[in-house]
C-alpha cells in the first residue's frame, strides 16, 4: 500500500493492554462514528497485542482467543467494516510478541494470508523476541513482501522502535509508517523526550512511509495501561499539536467511550488535522529564533498551495517568549511580503509587522499558525 498522508485511527494498547475483547471493539467502532472521529479522518481501528491463543493450531495458523473473541476475527472485521471503518491487527517479527504470544517469525506468508482472509486492513508489526543474528531490514522485508502478496491491500505499520537505524532502510520494506521511538507513556516527560528525538529524523518522513512518533496519550489522564502520572489538557493540546505538525500518524490511545469534551475538541481540531494531512507532507524546518534554548521549539513547514505552518512549542514549566524573524521562512523585508497568521486553536488573526513577531507562551503551551503570504 502507498499511503499519501499520515494514517489516522485508534489503537487498543495505551489504555487496555491485554484487557481487550470483542465487545470493546464493537463499542469503540460505534463511538468512532457517533462522535465524529471517522468523519475527521480517524479510519483505522486497531487491536494490539494479546488477541491470540498462546499456541498456533495444527496448521500453524494463529488462533484468536475464543474467550475474548468468541465469534472470531472475521466477524470482528465485518462489524468494523459495517461502520465504514478499517480494521487493524498486531503481530511481531520475533518468535513471540512483546506480551509473549506467537510472533510471525518464519510464518510471515501464512500469517499474511490469514490476516487477509479475516479482512484485516492494517498490520502493526512489533520487534520483540526477534532473531539476534538477522538484521531488522530482512525481517521487515519478509513481512512487507508477504503482505503485498496476500491478495488484500493491508497497510504495513513497522514498529521497530528506530532500532538497527530503521530510518536508513525502512522504505525498502513496503512499510507505510515506521516507529522511530520506544513506547510512549502518559507523562509530560515521555512526550517531551519523544519529540526531542525527532530532529535528526525529519528528512526521513514523507509520502508513502511516515515517521510514527507512537500513539497519542491525549485524554488518558493517568488511567490505563500506560497511564502513569497523566497530563493536563494544555499538555495534551501541545502533545497533539507536535505530533500533527511533525507529520506523525495520529493514532488515538484513550478510551473514547468515556472521553470528555476537552479531549474530543483536541483530537478533532480541523485546522491541526489539516496541517497533518497536508498533501505535500513536507518535513518541518527548525527555526533558530532568538533566545530560545532547548525547551522552546520553533518550527515552520511549507504547505501545499503556498501557505506556511508555524509551530511554537513551550516545553518549559514557566512562561516563555517565542521570537521569530521572517527571514527564516524566506520573507525578508526586500520581498515586500509578510505573513497573515491565523492561530489554529483560538482563531486569532494577526499580520506580522517589521518582519518579526513575538508570542508569549504559558507553561507547556503552544501556538500553531496557518500563515498566508500577503503584501506589506
Amino acid at each position: 500500500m502507498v499511503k499519501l498522508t499520515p494514517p489516522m485511527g485508534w489503537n487498543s494498547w495505551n489504555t487496555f493492554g491485554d484487557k481487550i475483547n470483542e465487545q470493546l471493539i464493537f463499542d469503540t467502532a460505534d463511538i468512532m462514528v457517533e462522535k465524529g472521529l471517522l468523519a475527521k479522518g480517524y479510519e483505522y481501528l486497531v487491536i494490539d497485542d494479546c488477541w491470540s491463543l498462546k499456541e498456533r493450531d495444527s496448521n500453524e495458523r494463529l488462533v484468536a482467543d475464543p474467550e475474548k473473541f468468541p465469534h472470531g476475527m472475521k466477524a470482528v472485521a465485518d462489524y468494523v467494516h459495517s461502520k465504514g471503518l478499517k480494521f487493524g491487527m498486531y503481530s511481531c517479527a520475533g518468535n513471540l510478541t512483546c506480551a509473549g504470544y506467537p510472533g510471525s517469525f518464519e510464518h510471515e506468508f501464512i500469517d499474511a494470508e490469514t490476516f487477509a482472509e479475516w479482512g484485516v486492513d492494517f498490520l502493526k508489526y512489533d520487534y520483540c523476541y526477534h532473531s539476534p543474528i538477522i538484521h531488522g531490514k530482512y525481517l521487515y522485508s519478509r513481512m512487507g513482501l508477504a503482505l503485498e502478496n496476500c491478495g488484500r491491500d493491508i497497510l504495513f505499520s513497522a514498529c521497530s522502535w528506530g532500532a538497527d537505524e530503521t530510518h536508513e532502510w525502512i522504505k525498502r520494506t513496503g512499510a507505510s509508517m515506521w516507529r522511530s521511538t520506544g513506547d510512549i507513556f502518559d507523562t509530560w516527560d515521555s512526550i517531551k523526550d519523544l519529540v526531542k528525538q525527532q530532529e535528526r529524523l525529519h528528512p526521513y518522513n514523507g509520502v508513502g512511509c511516515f515517521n510514527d512518533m507512537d500513539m497519542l496519550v491525549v485524554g488518558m489522564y493517568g488511567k490505563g495501561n500506560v497511564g502513569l502520572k497523566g497530563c493536563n489538557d494544555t499538555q495534551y493540546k501541545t502533545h497533539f499539536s507536535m505530533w500533527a505538525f511533525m507529520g506523525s500518524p495520529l493514532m488515538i490511545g484513550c478510551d473514547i467511550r468515556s472521553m470528555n469534551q476537552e479531549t474530543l475538541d483536541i483530537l478533532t481540531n480541523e485546522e491541526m488535522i489539516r496541517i497533518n494531512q497536508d498533501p505535500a507532507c513536507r518535513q518541518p524546518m527548525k527555526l533558530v529564533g532568538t533566545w530560545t534554548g532547548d525547551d522552546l521549539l520553533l518550527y515552520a513547514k511549507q504547505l501545499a498551495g503556498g501557505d506556511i505552518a508555524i509551530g511554537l512549542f513551550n516545553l518549559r514549566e514557566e512562561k516563555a517568549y517565542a521570537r521569530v524573524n521572517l527571514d527564516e521562512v524566506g520573507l525578508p523585508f526586500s520581498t515586500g511580503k509578510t505573513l497573515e497568521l491565523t492561530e489554529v486553536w483560538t482563531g486569532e488573526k494577526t499580520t506580522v509587522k517589521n518582519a518579526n513577531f513575538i508570542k508569549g507562551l504559558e507553561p507547556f503551551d503552544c501556538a500553531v499558525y496557518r500563515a498566508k503570504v500577503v503584501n506589506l
Side-chain angles (χ1 to χ4, degrees):
M1 173 183 285
V2 178
K3 193 69 177 167
L4 300 181
T5 57
M8 299 172 62
W10 177 90
N11 180 290
S12 63
W13 184 256
N14 280 2
T15 293
F16 298 101
D18 65 343
K19 298 174 178 62
I20 52 175
N21 58 62
E22 183 178 276
Q23 193 59 51
L24 168 65
I25 302 308
F26 292 169
D27 293 345
T28 299
D30 293 343
I31 294 296
M32 288 180 74
V33 177
E34 291 170 12
K35 293 293 187 180
L37 293 171
L38 173 60
K40 297 294 185 180
Y42 295 97
E43 61 178 339
Y44 290 100
L45 192 165
V46 182
I47 297 173
D48 211 283
D49 204 350
C50 309
W51 59 265
S52 76
L53 292 179
K54 288 293 184 79
E55 294 184 4
R56 293 173 177 268
D57 68 15
S58 59
N59 295 314
E60 289 299 304
R61 287 184 178 268
L62 293 167
V63 181
D65 185 330
E67 292 189 9
K68 294 178 178 179
F69 302 97
H71 295 95
M73 282 303 178
K74 180 66 167 62
V76 176
D78 287 346
Y79 188 87
V80 171
H81 291 152
S82 76
K83 296 294 179 176
L85 296 157
K86 295 179 180 179
F87 179 56
M89 292 190 68
Y90 168 100
S91 190
C92 187
N95 290 305
L96 298 173
T97 70
C98 297
Y101 294 80
S104 290
F105 180 63
E106 295 191 338
H107 291 81
E108 291 86 359
F109 278 83
I110 193 170
D111 287 355
E113 291 168 6
T114 300
F115 295 140
E117 290 170 5
W118 287 345
V120 171
D121 306 296
F122 179 113
L123 180 68
K124 177 182 172 181
Y125 202 54
D126 224 329
Y127 202 38
C128 290
Y129 299 103
H130 60 273
S131 168
I133 62 173
I134 303 177
H135 195 280
K137 62 186 175 184
Y138 300 115
L139 297 174
Y140 280 87
S141 292
R142 286 185 190 180
M143 182 52 84
L145 190 61
L147 290 174
E148 292 192 340
N149 283 276
C150 73
R152 185 175 178 84
D153 205 7
I154 299 177
L155 187 153
F156 186 23
S157 173
C159 184
S160 62
W161 331 314
D164 298 340
E165 300 298 321
T166 304
H167 59 280
E168 295 182 356
W169 48 263
I170 192 62
K171 287 185 179 180
R172 308 175 206 166
T173 70
S176 293
M177 53 190 276
W178 59 282
R179 267 277 293 283
S180 61
T181 70
D183 287 357
I184 194 170
F185 294 94
D186 186 17
T187 70
W188 182 245
D189 286 342
S190 177
I191 292 167
K192 183 175 171 180
D193 177 59
L194 295 188
V195 81
K196 285 192 169 186
Q197 295 176 30
Q198 300 306 310
E199 187 173 344
R200 75 182 185 96
L201 299 174
H202 292 320
Y204 301 94
N205 192 16
V207 174
C209 196
F210 295 97
N211 175 358
D212 176 14
M213 295 164 61
D214 204 4
M215 298 165 288
L216 299 165
V217 294
V218 176
M220 290 189 63
Y221 300 108
K223 300 176 182 177
N225 189 44
V226 302
L228 300 185
K229 297 178 182 178
C231 297
N232 61 42
D233 288 329
T234 297
Q235 292 169 328
Y236 285 141
K237 182 187 81 169
T238 299
H239 161 42
F240 182 78
S241 298
M242 291 188 291
W243 263 237
F245 193 97
M246 293 183 182
S248 176
L250 301 176
M251 303 298 290
I252 299 168
C254 69
D255 184 353
I256 62 172
R257 301 172 305 173
S258 58
M259 64 180 168
N260 60 25
Q261 189 61 46
E262 289 79 4
T263 295
L264 182 62
D265 289 345
I266 290 170
L267 294 173
T268 58
N269 182 284
E270 290 188 5
E271 287 302 315
M272 205 67 253
I273 292 173
R274 187 180 170 205
I275 289 171
N276 178 257
Q277 297 289 300
D278 186 77
C281 295
R282 296 184 178 119
Q283 69 192 68
M285 174 179 67
K286 189 174 183 182
L287 305 179
V288 175
T290 306
W291 304 316
T292 53
D294 291 340
D295 288 340
L296 181 59
L297 303 181
L298 316 180
Y299 282 97
K301 180 160 67 172
Q302 192 166 321
L303 304 173
D307 287 355
I308 301 171
I310 297 176
L312 314 175
F313 306 104
N314 180 18
L315 309 186
R316 301 173 182 169
E317 297 181 4
E318 61 276 338
K319 188 171 183 177
Y321 287 87
R323 300 169 175 86
V324 177
N325 187 318
L326 294 195
D327 201 11
E328 284 203 78
V329 297
L331 292 174
F333 268 129
S334 60
T335 63
K337 305 290 184 181
T338 189
L339 291 178
E340 180 184 86
L341 306 176
T342 302
E343 211 283 318
V344 305
W345 292 103
T346 64
E348 179 185 359
K349 292 182 180 292
T350 186
T351 300
V352 179
K353 306 296 184 183
N354 301 315
N356 284 268
F357 74 97
I358 302 171
K359 175 65 176 178
L361 299 169
E362 295 300 323
F364 314 118
D365 206 356
C366 68
V368 180
Y369 300 94
R370 190 175 188 98
K372 294 188 177 298
V373 178
V374 297
N375 292 325
L376 282 170

